[in-house]
């Protein structure tokens, strides 16, 4: 089993050495992919089109047309309460800008439900969280949610971006540290090198939410990703994600202990520096010193 493990390690190291340029390129591609694939920018479906049409009816104060879009989700009495609330938020506004901030798709009992979240910037200085829900079994809009996010967005709009930049910079330095430790592992003669070369890329992701919704979540994953700080109007909370390179940190402190020391030979530089030693065996003559000569019969002069 030991011979098999050593042979496997040698094979892996030969592959990495032969394909080093390609391996470095692949590493960079994985890092870019992990940094850019955390979320999708647009949802698949027509939620945006339906949301814009509904908001146009709100600004035009066209209750009948707006209710016609959501009548499959509830009765007119329930919608009237909702209508009064959104009309109050849009009072005095003549235009708006719609920015998508998230989306989610679920399938339950064979029915697909799509939820898309937006921030609506009315020209009356109101910022509104606006969610549109559609479902396969409901014609038009299956659900709506509206809440005033003006105070929350204004309070976090200047602070959060600065913290986000700082966290991203730290994350990039962490990724550079991980790659440095990986290269160090390849260059050293380390015990179970293949195992450590893999473990170096593992870390702990910590997600912390502060605000109306507070909580903390831990998860394990590959370190080739960046942290972030974002204001979530849907939760009225600031969400911070930090990645800790546990594998690389552990290797950094243990790398000297893990390094296999080279075997010293009597011949060569180690002997010349006086680092080598020769054992004396009883019954045999001791080796000659620099002040003595050895004769052919083993005696010293």
């Amino acid at each position: 089993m030991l011979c098999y493990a050593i042979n496997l390690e040698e094979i892996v190291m030969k592959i990495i050495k032969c394909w080093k340029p390609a391996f470095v390129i692949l590493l960079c591609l994985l890092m870019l992919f992990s940094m850019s694939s955390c979320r999708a920018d647009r949802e698949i479906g027509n939620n945006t089109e339906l949301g814009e049409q509904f908001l146009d009816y709100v600004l035009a104060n066209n209750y009948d047309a707006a209710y016609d879009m959501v009548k499959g989700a509830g009765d007119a009495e329930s919608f009237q309460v909702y209508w009064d609330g959104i009309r109050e938020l849009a009072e005095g506004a003549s235009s708006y800008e719609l920015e998508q901030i998230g989306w989610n798709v679920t399938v339950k009992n064979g029915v697909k439900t799509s939820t898309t979240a937006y921030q609506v910037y009315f020209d009356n200085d109101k910022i509104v969280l606006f969610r549109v829900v559609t479902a396969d079994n409901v014609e038009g809009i299956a659900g709506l949610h509206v809440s005033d996010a003006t105070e929350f967005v204004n309070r976090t709009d200047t602070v959060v971006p600065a913290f986000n930049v700082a966290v991203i910079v730290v994350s990039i330095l962490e990724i550079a540290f991980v790659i440095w430790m990986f290269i160090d592992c390849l260059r050293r003669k380390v015990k179970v090198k293949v195992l450590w070369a893999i473990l170096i890329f593992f870390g702990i992701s910590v997600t912390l939410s502060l605000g109306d919704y507070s909580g903390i979540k831990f998860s394990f994953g590959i370190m080739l990703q960046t942290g972030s700080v974002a204001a979530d109007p849907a939760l009225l909370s600031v969400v911070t994600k930090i990645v800790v390179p546990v594998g690389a940190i552990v290797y950094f402190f243990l790398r000297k202990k893990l390094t296999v020391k080279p075997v010293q030979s009597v011949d060569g530089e180690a002997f010349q520096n006086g680092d080598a030693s020769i054992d004396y065996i009883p019954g045999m003559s001791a080796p000659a010193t620099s002040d003595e000569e050895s004769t052919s019969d083993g005696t010293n002069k």
Side-chain angles (χ1 to χ4, degrees), residues 186-212:
L186 295 183
R187 296 180 63 182
R188 287 174 179 265
K189 202 165 186 178
V190 178
K191 302 173 185 176
V192 289
K193 178 180 290 189
V194 175
L195 177 61
W196 277 105
I198 296 173
L199 291 178
I200 282 171
F201 287 98
F202 279 85
I204 298 177
S205 176
V206 183
T207 303
L208 176 65
S209 299
L210 297 174
D212 286 6

Side-chain angles (χ1 to χ4, degrees), residues 144-278:
L144 288 170
H145 170 81
V146 173
S147 61
D148 189 357
T150 307
E151 183 180 353
F152 174 78
V153 173
N154 290 338
R155 191 171 65 246
T156 59
D157 196 39
T158 55
V159 178
V160 169
F163 277 102
N164 186 49
V165 171
V167 170
I168 290 175
V169 170
V170 172
S171 299
I172 293 174
L173 294 176
E174 288 179 341
I175 292 173
F177 173 71
V178 170
I179 295 175
W180 172 36
M181 289 296 98
F182 176 72
I183 295 174
D184 181 85
C185 180
L186 295 183
R187 296 180 63 182
R188 287 174 179 265
K189 202 165 186 178
V190 178
K191 302 173 185 176
V192 289
K193 178 180 290 189
V194 175
L195 177 61
W196 277 105
I198 296 173
L199 291 178
I200 282 171
F201 287 98
F202 279 85
I204 298 177
S205 176
V206 183
T207 303
L208 176 65
S209 299
L210 297 174
D212 286 6
Y213 174 82
S214 297
I216 187 169
K217 182 175 69 174
F218 298 91
S219 61
F220 294 92
I222 302 297
M223 262 303 303
L224 298 179
Q225 54 183 307
T226 59
S228 62
V229 180
D232 189 350
L235 302 175
L236 295 180
S237 303
V238 176
V239 181
T240 303
K241 178 183 176 183
I242 300 174
V243 184
V244 183
V246 177
I249 293 174
V250 172
Y251 170 79
F252 176 77
F253 287 105
L254 295 181
R255 57 181 179 160
K256 290 185 179 180
K257 292 183 179 180
L258 294 170
T259 302
V260 178
K261 296 181 179 179
V263 179
Q264 292 183 340
S265 174
V266 174
D267 298 322
E269 184 179 353
F271 180 75
Q272 294 173 5
N273 293 335
D275 297 330
S277 60
I278 301 176

Side-chain angles (χ1 to χ4, degrees), residues 2-15 194:
L2 178 60
C3 294
Y4 177 78
I6 293 174
N7 292 336
L8 178 61
E9 181 176 337
E10 290 178 353
I11 292 172
V12 173
M13 292 310 301
K14 286 181 180 178
I15 293 174
V194 175

